[in-house]
């Protein structure tokens, strides 16, 4: 037994999962039903007790993969076909070298099986191939090259150059970027072990168990919830290329932060309910059909005033308000400035997303945009899905850093 433990492992450098799957596939070809559980059991058994001889490997595989006595003949035939005449004595100094290229390398097995195809060996080695050499080293080994996926590369393509399928996929990709959203502190508290405040009422109530001696203190801390967000999306003629992508952004905000979302051209349309649909395609289709005046004129000032005067105006208090528009407005600039001033006083932050802001040397020369800009906290480009994701990240980091500074200031004052 001691000599057996001292011998080198039989399958050193072998991908155990691929090895187990390869054996299972060959058994299935011979009519033996091998389930995923048996494959997992074999992979775990090889990890816990690495076989050091062909006999140990035989019994490990047989116990893991075979369930009925009628399957033993097929298993023995498969094992003999694979391992007869195979060089299994791969000691510590016989580890297969890593090839310069190619996918998972298969070790040819010259077994006596007549029904095994040539070159269809077992996956002895499935380490990632080496693709490039290190710059400051003459060694042959280097880290595998990582390339962006095709979908990530399309995220920097303008909206009007994307197909409907790509827009749908990137819309789902964008939803992942909105999962992290800044939170705000509420007046509610919850019991927490690490809380910095002592709940007197709860502490006194618990002291009944100890003769009214407050031995155990109950700590609480403030409850945080996602910062409310309200988004207004311009769906006029000049924003036709960006409308669908912005609808995906509004849907992501609706699902992640319970946002209130509106589309506007000449009138204001609330889309919160339809965009919360479970199916993205159905949500976008219903939202597009709900806006009757889409791809027409634009009245930004009128719609902002309508929102402030409606019963949805209370949603603006303490909220992050995102306005997605190119700023082309048929209303007077003074009217928009007055509406934006009211909006700024009510909101926590006002963010303006402008697809034209990504152009080099962009300056807000449109009168409406110039009138609204003094009341905006940020003007961010939004011409691609990548810029939309970056804008979400910038909004989150800016709000979080502001909250951190406020917390530090409050601590200093105390």
């Amino acid at each position: 037994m001691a000599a057996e433990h001292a011998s080198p492992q039989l399958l050193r450098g072998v991908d155990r999962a691929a090895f187990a799957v390869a054996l299972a596939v060959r058994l299935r070809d011979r009519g033996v039903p091998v389930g995923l559980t048996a494959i997992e059991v074999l992979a775990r058994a090889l990890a816990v007790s690495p076989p050091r001889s062909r006999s140990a490997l035989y019994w490990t595989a047989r116990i893991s993969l075979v369930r009925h006595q009628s399957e033993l003949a097929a298993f023995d035939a498969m094992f003999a076909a694979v391992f007869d005449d195979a060089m299994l004595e791969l000691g510590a100094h016989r580890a297969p070298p890593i090839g310069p290229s190619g996918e998972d390398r298969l070790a040819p097995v010259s077994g006596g099986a007549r029904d095994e195809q040539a070159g269809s060996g077992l996956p002895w080695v499935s380490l990632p191939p080496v693709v490039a050499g290190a710059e400051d080293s003459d060694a042959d080994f280097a880290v595998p090259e990582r390339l962006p996926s095709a979908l990530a590369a399309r995220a920097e393509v303008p909206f009007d150059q994307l197909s409907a399928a790509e827009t749908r996929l990137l819309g789902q990709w964008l939803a992942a970027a909105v999962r992290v959203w800044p939170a705000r502190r509420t007046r509610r508290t919850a019991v927490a072990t690490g809380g910095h405040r002592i709940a007197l009422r709860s502490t006194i109530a618990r002291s009944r168990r100890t003769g009214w001696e407050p031995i155990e203190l109950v700590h609480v801390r403030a409850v945080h919830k996602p910062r409310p967000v309200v988004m207004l999306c311009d769906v006029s003629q000049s924003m036709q290329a960006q409308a669908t992508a912005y609808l995906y952004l509004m849907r992501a905000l609706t699902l992640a932060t319970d946002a209130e979302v509106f589309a506007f051209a000449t009138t204001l349309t609330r889309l919160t309910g339809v965009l919360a649909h479970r199916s993205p395609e159905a949500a976008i289709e219903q939202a597009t059909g709900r806006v009757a005046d889409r791809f027409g004129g634009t009245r930004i000032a009128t719609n902002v005033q309508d929102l402030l005067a409606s019963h949805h105006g209370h949603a603006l208090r303490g909220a992050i308000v995102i306005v997605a528009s190119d700023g082309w407005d048929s209303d007077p600039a003074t009217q928009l400035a007055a509406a934006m001033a009211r909006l700024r006083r009510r909101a926590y932050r006002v963010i303006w997303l402008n697809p034209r802001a990504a152009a080099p040397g962009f300056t807000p020369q449109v009168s409406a945009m110039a009138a609204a800009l003094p009341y905006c906290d940020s003007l961010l480009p939004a011409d691609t899905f990548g810029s939309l994701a970056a804008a979400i990240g910038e909004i989150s980091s800016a709000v979080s850093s502001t909250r951190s500074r406020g917390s530090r200031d409050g601590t200093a004052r105390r």
Side-chain angles (χ1 to χ4, degrees), residues 48-126:
V48 173
S49 178
R52 300 178 184 278
S53 66
R54 172 174 168 168
S55 176
L57 176 62
Y58 170 83
W59 285 107
T60 302
R62 174 173 163 172
I63 294 173
S64 303
L65 301 178
V66 177
R67 292 289 181 269
H68 302 285
Q69 187 176 6
S70 58
E71 301 169 353
L72 287 178
F75 176 82
D76 291 340
M78 183 277 299
F79 195 87
V82 173
F83 294 105
D84 277 357
D85 300 330
M87 294 181 297
L88 294 180
E89 290 74 15
L90 300 176
H93 305 287
R94 298 282 306 273
I98 301 176
S101 62
E103 299 178 350
D104 294 351
R105 194 164 63 85
L106 302 179
V109 177
S110 56
R114 292 183 293 274
D115 53 349
E116 297 289 337
Q117 297 180 357
S120 59
L122 293 175
W124 294 110
V125 179
S126 62

Side-chain angles (χ1 to χ4, degrees), residues 150-159 161-162 170 173 383-390:
L151 183 63
R154 301 294 290 175
E156 301 301 331
V157 176
F159 298 128
Q161 300 179 16
L162 295 174
L170 287 170
W173 170 79
D383 60 329
T384 62
F385 276 98
S387 60
L388 289 182

Side-chain angles (χ1 to χ4, degrees), residues 60-389:
T60 302
R62 174 173 163 172
I63 294 173
S64 303
L65 301 178
V66 177
R67 292 289 181 269
H68 302 285
Q69 187 176 6
S70 58
E71 301 169 353
L72 287 178
F75 176 82
D76 291 340
M78 183 277 299
F79 195 87
V82 173
F83 294 105
D84 277 357
D85 300 330
M87 294 181 297
L88 294 180
E89 290 74 15
L90 300 176
H93 305 287
R94 298 282 306 273
I98 301 176
S101 62
E103 299 178 350
D104 294 351
R105 194 164 63 85
L106 302 179
V109 177
S110 56
R114 292 183 293 274
D115 53 349
E116 297 289 337
Q117 297 180 357
S120 59
L122 293 175
W124 294 110
V125 179
S126 62
L127 298 176
V130 177
V131 297
E135 294 181 355
D136 55 351
S137 174
D138 297 333
D140 296 333
F141 298 96
V143 296
E145 185 178 0
R146 300 293 185 184
L147 297 176
S149 65
L151 183 63
R154 301 294 290 175
E156 301 301 331
V157 176
F159 298 128
D160 54 353
Q161 300 179 16
L162 295 174
S163 64
E166 292 173 338
T167 302
R168 183 177 65 256
L169 291 176
L170 287 170
Q172 299 174 2
W173 170 79
L174 181 63
V178 193
R179 290 177 181 172
V180 179
W181 190 251
R184 68 183 180 92
R185 181 178 177 177
T186 65
R187 295 182 179 180
R188 296 180 179 274
T189 58
V191 176
T193 305
H196 63 282
R197 291 178 52 190
I198 298 175
L200 293 180
R201 181 171 296 181
S202 301
T203 300
I204 293 174
R206 190 167 296 185
S207 66
R208 295 175 182 174
R209 309 171 186 172
T210 56
W212 300 106
E213 288 290 339
I215 296 177
E216 184 179 357
L217 301 180
V218 179
H219 294 264
V220 295
R221 65 182 175 187
V223 174
H224 292 78
K225 67 178 184 179
R227 171 74 63 178
V229 56
V230 178
M231 181 171 179
L232 295 90
C233 176
D234 186 350
V235 292
S236 62
Q237 178 65 37
S238 60
M239 294 287 293
Q240 184 173 357
Q242 294 81 18
T244 304
Y246 288 1
L247 288 179
Y248 276 105
L249 175 60
M250 290 197 296
R251 181 176 183 274
L253 291 173
T254 302
L255 298 179
T257 66
D258 294 333
E260 285 286 348
V261 294
F262 302 87
F264 67 89
T266 56
T267 59
L268 188 68
T269 305
R270 183 172 180 262
L271 299 178
T272 304
V274 294
L275 285 179
H277 195 281
R278 202 170 172 181
S279 170
E281 294 79 8
I284 300 302
E285 183 178 357
Q286 293 181 14
T288 304
R290 180 68 66 88
V291 186
D293 60 341
R294 66 184 185 278
F295 309 146
T298 315
R299 301 185 65 186
I300 303 177
T302 301
N303 288 295
V304 172
Q305 289 176 340
D306 291 345
L307 177 60
L308 290 167
S310 69
H311 65 278
H312 295 295
H314 71 280
L316 298 170
R317 298 189 184 281
I320 299 173
V321 179
I322 302 174
V323 181
S325 174
D326 56 2
W328 291 8
D329 191 11
S330 58
D331 289 330
T334 54
Q335 183 180 353
L336 179 60
M340 290 298 296
R342 289 187 58 196
L343 178 66
R344 182 64 190 89
R345 288 193 294 268
R346 191 173 298 186
Y348 178 73
R349 289 285 186 276
V350 177
I351 312 295
W352 196 291
L353 302 181
N354 192 330
R356 306 184 189 282
F362 168 80
T363 55
Q365 296 180 350
V366 179
S367 59
M369 190 72 251
L373 197 57
Y375 305 99
C376 298
D377 294 279
S378 298
L379 173 63
L380 302 175
D383 60 329
T384 62
F385 276 98
S387 60
L388 289 182

Side-chain angles (χ1 to χ4, degrees), residues 7-75:
S7 60
Q9 296 181 10
L10 189 64
L11 302 178
R12 182 183 297 275
V14 173
D15 188 324
R16 293 185 295 272
F19 179 80
V21 170
L23 288 184
V25 169
R26 281 160 174 77
L27 271 180
R28 288 175 179 174
D29 292 341
R30 295 174 181 273
V32 178
V34 181
L36 296 178
T37 303
I39 298 174
E40 181 185 5
V41 168
L42 176 57
R44 289 180 180 274
L46 294 175
V48 173
S49 178
R52 300 178 184 278
S53 66
R54 172 174 168 168
S55 176
L57 176 62
Y58 170 83
W59 285 107
T60 302
R62 174 173 163 172
I63 294 173
S64 303
L65 301 178
V66 177
R67 292 289 181 269
H68 302 285
Q69 187 176 6
S70 58
E71 301 169 353
L72 287 178
F75 176 82

